[in-house]
Amino acid sequence: MHEKTNNNDLPYQLLQPSYMRPDLLLEKALTDYLTDDELWVPSTSEGVSFKPLLLHASSGYYVNLLRVNKHGFLSRHRHSGDVQAFVLKGKWYYLEHDWIAKEGSFAYEPPGETHTLFVPDDVKEMITLFTVKGDYTYVDEYGKAWV
């Protein structure tokens, strides 16, 4: 336990709700966990893999590390909810925007936006932490959903 210096340092004294799930702490998420190749889940697209950190089905969101070891077109898709992205390594951009998400950058994507993720030729590896709310649909260049 942590050291207590006064009453303000006391933990909450009542029970948590009975329906509440336990906390999740993933230590070394951006060091050991990030570099362990055994934990990356391959995608259907060669050179693309991910590591889910949190899949929260009842609230409709997930937190995911995306790793791309290729360049060029990755996917075109539309989100029903908002997305937050923090670039940990490499860079990427959307063909529909004039900005580049570089290492250390944060990007916010509003609900309903359709965009085409592209990894530049000079990137050997891109890793981005995404928090995605809702679903997303892969679409063609005119917005028609893939079947």
Coordinates of all heavy atoms in Angstrom, one line a residue, residues 50-83:
F50 N -1.5 -6.1 -35.0 CA -2.0 -5.3 -33.9 C -1.9 -6.0 -32.6 O -1.7 -7.2 -32.5 CB -3.5 -4.9 -34.2 CG -4.4 -6.1 -34.2 CD1 -5.1 -6.5 -33.1 CD2 -4.6 -6.7 -35.4 CE1 -5.9 -7.6 -33.1 CE2 -5.5 -7.8 -35.5 CZ -6.1 -8.2 -34.3
K51 N -1.9 -5.2 -31.5 CA -2.0 -5.7 -30.1 C -3.1 -5.0 -29.4 O -3.0 -3.8 -29.1 CB -0.7 -5.4 -29.4 CG 0.5 -6.3 -29.8 CD 1.7 -6.0 -28.9 CE 2.9 -6.8 -29.3 NZ 4.0 -6.6 -28.5
P52 N -4.2 -5.8 -29.1 CA -5.3 -5.1 -28.4 C -4.8 -4.9 -26.9 O -4.2 -5.8 -26.3 CB -6.4 -6.2 -28.5 CG -5.8 -7.4 -29.0 CD -4.5 -7.1 -29.5
L53 N -5.0 -3.7 -26.4 CA -4.8 -3.5 -25.0 C -6.0 -3.6 -24.2 O -6.0 -4.0 -23.0 CB -4.2 -2.0 -24.8 CG -2.9 -1.8 -25.6 CD1 -2.4 -0.4 -25.4 CD2 -1.8 -2.8 -25.0
L54 N -7.2 -3.2 -24.8 CA -8.5 -3.2 -24.1 C -9.6 -3.4 -25.2 O -9.7 -2.5 -26.1 CB -8.7 -2.0 -23.3 CG -10.0 -1.8 -22.6 CD1 -10.2 -2.9 -21.5 CD2 -10.2 -0.5 -21.9
L55 N -10.4 -4.4 -25.0 CA -11.5 -4.6 -25.9 C -12.8 -4.5 -25.0 O -13.0 -5.4 -24.2 CB -11.5 -6.0 -26.6 CG -10.3 -6.3 -27.4 CD1 -10.3 -7.7 -27.8 CD2 -10.2 -5.4 -28.6
H56 N -13.5 -3.4 -25.1 CA -14.6 -3.1 -24.2 C -15.9 -3.2 -24.9 O -16.5 -2.2 -25.3 CB -14.4 -1.7 -23.5 CG -15.1 -1.6 -22.2 ND1 -16.4 -1.6 -22.1 CD2 -14.6 -1.4 -21.0 CE1 -16.8 -1.4 -20.8 NE2 -15.6 -1.4 -20.1
A57 N -16.4 -4.4 -25.1 CA -17.6 -4.7 -26.0 C -18.8 -4.0 -25.4 O -19.6 -3.4 -26.2 CB -17.8 -6.2 -26.1
S58 N -19.0 -4.0 -24.1 CA -20.2 -3.4 -23.6 C -20.3 -1.9 -23.7 O -21.4 -1.3 -23.8 CB -20.4 -3.8 -22.1 OG -19.4 -3.3 -21.3
S59 N -19.2 -1.2 -23.8 CA -19.2 0.2 -24.1 C -18.9 0.6 -25.5 O -18.9 1.7 -25.9 CB -18.1 0.9 -23.1 OG -18.5 0.8 -21.8
G60 N -18.5 -0.4 -26.3 CA -18.3 -0.2 -27.7 C -17.1 0.6 -28.1 O -17.1 1.4 -29.0
Y61 N -16.0 0.2 -27.5 CA -14.7 0.8 -27.9 C -13.5 -0.1 -27.6 O -13.7 -1.1 -26.9 CB -14.4 2.2 -27.2 CG -14.0 2.1 -25.7 CD1 -12.7 2.1 -25.4 CD2 -14.9 2.0 -24.7 CE1 -12.3 2.0 -24.1 CE2 -14.6 1.9 -23.4 CZ -13.2 1.9 -23.1 OH -12.8 1.8 -21.8
Y62 N -12.4 0.2 -28.2 CA -11.2 -0.6 -28.0 C -10.0 0.3 -28.0 O -10.0 1.4 -28.6 CB -11.1 -1.8 -28.9 CG -10.9 -1.4 -30.4 CD1 -9.6 -1.3 -30.9 CD2 -12.0 -1.3 -31.2 CE1 -9.5 -1.0 -32.3 CE2 -11.9 -1.0 -32.6 CZ -10.6 -0.9 -33.1 OH -10.4 -0.6 -34.4
V63 N -8.9 -0.2 -27.4 CA -7.6 0.5 -27.4 C -6.7 -0.5 -28.0 O -6.6 -1.7 -27.6 CB -7.2 0.9 -26.0 CG1 -5.8 1.6 -26.0 CG2 -8.2 1.8 -25.3
N64 N -5.9 -0.1 -29.0 CA -5.2 -1.0 -29.8 C -3.9 -0.4 -30.3 O -3.8 0.8 -30.6 CB -6.1 -1.3 -31.1 CG -5.6 -2.4 -31.9 OD1 -5.3 -3.5 -31.5 ND2 -5.6 -2.1 -33.2
L65 N -2.8 -1.2 -30.3 CA -1.6 -0.8 -31.0 C -1.6 -1.4 -32.4 O -1.9 -2.6 -32.6 CB -0.4 -1.4 -30.2 CG -0.1 -0.8 -28.8 CD1 0.8 -1.7 -28.1 CD2 0.5 0.6 -29.0
L66 N -1.3 -0.5 -33.4 CA -1.3 -1.0 -34.8 C 0.2 -0.9 -35.2 O 0.8 0.2 -35.1 CB -2.2 -0.1 -35.6 CG -2.1 -0.4 -37.1 CD1 -2.7 -1.7 -37.5 CD2 -2.8 0.8 -37.9
R67 N 0.7 -1.9 -35.8 CA 2.0 -1.9 -36.3 C 2.0 -2.2 -37.8 O 1.3 -3.2 -38.3 CB 2.9 -3.0 -35.6 CG 4.3 -3.0 -36.2 CD 5.2 -3.9 -35.4 NE 4.9 -5.3 -35.6 CZ 5.6 -6.3 -35.1 NH1 6.7 -6.1 -34.4 NH2 5.3 -7.6 -35.4
V68 N 2.7 -1.4 -38.6 CA 2.7 -1.6 -40.1 C 4.2 -1.7 -40.5 O 4.9 -0.8 -40.2 CB 2.0 -0.5 -40.8 CG1 2.0 -0.7 -42.3 CG2 0.5 -0.4 -40.3
N69 N 4.5 -2.8 -41.2 CA 5.9 -2.9 -41.7 C 5.9 -2.9 -43.2 O 6.6 -3.8 -43.8 CB 6.5 -4.3 -41.2 CG 6.7 -4.2 -39.7 OD1 7.2 -3.2 -39.2 ND2 6.4 -5.3 -39.0
K70 N 5.1 -2.1 -43.8 CA 5.1 -1.9 -45.2 C 4.7 -0.5 -45.5 O 4.3 0.3 -44.6 CB 4.1 -2.9 -45.9 CG 2.7 -2.6 -45.6 CD 1.7 -3.5 -46.3 CE 0.3 -3.1 -46.2 NZ -0.6 -3.9 -47.1
H71 N 4.9 -0.1 -46.7 CA 4.5 1.3 -47.1 C 3.3 1.2 -48.1 O 3.0 0.2 -48.7 CB 5.7 2.1 -47.6 CG 6.3 1.5 -48.8 ND1 7.3 0.6 -48.8 CD2 6.1 1.7 -50.1 CE1 7.6 0.2 -50.0 NE2 6.9 0.9 -50.8
G72 N 2.7 2.4 -48.3 CA 1.6 2.5 -49.3 C 0.3 2.5 -48.6 O 0.1 2.7 -47.4
F73 N -0.7 2.2 -49.4 CA -2.1 2.1 -49.0 C -2.3 1.0 -47.9 O -1.9 -0.1 -48.1 CB -3.0 1.8 -50.2 CG -4.4 1.5 -50.0 CD1 -5.3 2.5 -49.8 CD2 -4.9 0.2 -49.8 CE1 -6.7 2.3 -49.5 CE2 -6.2 -0.1 -49.6 CZ -7.1 0.9 -49.4
L74 N -3.0 1.4 -46.8 CA -3.3 0.4 -45.8 C -4.8 0.1 -45.8 O -5.2 -1.0 -45.9 CB -2.9 1.0 -44.4 CG -3.0 0.0 -43.3 CD1 -2.2 -1.3 -43.5 CD2 -2.7 0.6 -42.0
S75 N -5.6 1.1 -45.7 CA -7.1 0.9 -45.7 C -7.8 2.2 -45.9 O -7.3 3.3 -45.5 CB -7.6 0.2 -44.4 OG -7.5 1.1 -43.4
R76 N -9.0 2.1 -46.5 CA -9.9 3.2 -46.6 C -11.2 2.8 -45.7 O -11.7 1.7 -46.0 CB -10.3 3.5 -48.0 CG -11.2 4.7 -48.2 CD -11.6 5.0 -49.6 NE -10.4 5.1 -50.5 CZ -9.9 4.1 -51.3 NH1 -10.6 3.0 -51.4 NH2 -8.9 4.3 -52.0
H77 N -11.6 3.7 -44.8 CA -12.6 3.3 -43.9 C -13.4 4.5 -43.3 O -12.9 5.6 -43.4 CB -12.1 2.4 -42.8 CG -11.0 3.0 -42.0 ND1 -9.7 2.9 -42.4 CD2 -11.0 3.7 -40.9 CE1 -8.9 3.6 -41.6 NE2 -9.7 4.1 -40.6
R78 N -14.5 4.2 -42.8 CA -15.4 5.2 -42.1 C -15.7 4.8 -40.7 O -16.0 3.6 -40.5 CB -16.7 5.4 -42.9 CG -17.6 6.4 -42.3 CD -19.0 6.5 -43.0 NE -18.8 6.7 -44.5 CZ -19.1 5.7 -45.4 NH1 -19.6 4.6 -45.0 NH2 -18.9 6.0 -46.7
H79 N -15.5 5.7 -39.8 CA -15.8 5.4 -38.4 C -17.2 5.9 -38.0 O -17.6 7.0 -38.3 CB -14.7 6.1 -37.5 CG -13.4 5.6 -37.6 ND1 -13.0 4.4 -37.0 CD2 -12.3 6.0 -38.4 CE1 -11.7 4.2 -37.3 NE2 -11.3 5.1 -38.1
S80 N -17.9 5.1 -37.1 CA -19.1 5.6 -36.6 C -18.9 6.4 -35.3 O -19.8 7.3 -35.0 CB -20.1 4.4 -36.3 OG -19.5 3.7 -35.2
G81 N -17.8 6.2 -34.7 CA -17.5 7.0 -33.5 C -16.2 7.7 -33.6 O -15.5 7.6 -34.7
D82 N -15.8 8.5 -32.6 CA -14.5 9.2 -32.8 C -13.3 8.3 -32.5 O -13.4 7.2 -31.9 CB -14.5 10.4 -31.9 CG -14.6 10.2 -30.4 OD1 -15.3 9.2 -30.0 OD2 -13.9 10.8 -29.6
V83 N -12.1 8.7 -32.9 CA -10.9 8.0 -32.8 C -9.8 8.9 -32.3 O -9.7 10.1 -32.7 CB -10.5 7.4 -34.1 CG1 -9.1 6.7 -34.0 CG2 -11.5 6.4 -34.7

